[in-house]
Amino acid sequence: MLTFFIVQYTKGLMDRVASRLPTDLYAVAVAFIVLVMAQLAVGAHAADWRVYGLAFANAFLIAAAAGQMQNKVIRPPGLGGDTP
């Protein structure tokens, strides 16, 4: 959820600063930073490579979830012609 909000509030700025960076990759970067900060906040050792490896892998999952939230915001279920 935090990744979704950070991307939503800052993507206009990022479009002006780095116009060639796709929003999906920007969301992965934001998720990575959020995950690393959370791990360091709970006491993980900053020199431990596993913190960064797991954060990188999980960043893609978090970014995908944030993308799905964006789709639901733009096209809420039940309002379009998307009946099962």
Side-chain angles (χ1 to χ4, degrees):
M1 188 68 111
L2 182 60
T3 298
F4 172 73
F5 284 127
I6 291 172
V7 170
Q8 288 303 307
Y9 282 108
T10 60
K11 73 178 179 179
L13 173 67
M14 287 306 295
D15 286 344
R16 283 182 268 146
V17 172
S19 60
R20 297 190 137 198
L21 179 67
T23 304
D24 294 340
L25 289 180
Y26 176 56
V28 170
V30 168
F32 176 75
I33 292 168
V34 169
L35 288 167
V36 168
M37 287 176 52
Q39 286 297 313
L40 295 177
V42 296
H45 196 275
D48 188 359
W49 66 271
R50 294 174 293 188
V51 170
Y52 305 101
L54 290 173
F56 182 72
N58 284 326
F60 286 93
L61 299 173
I62 300 296
Q68 285 301 315
M69 285 193 287
Q70 171 67 14
N71 289 338
K72 295 296 180 189
V73 167
I74 292 174
R75 291 182 285 296
L79 294 181
D82 49 317
T83 56

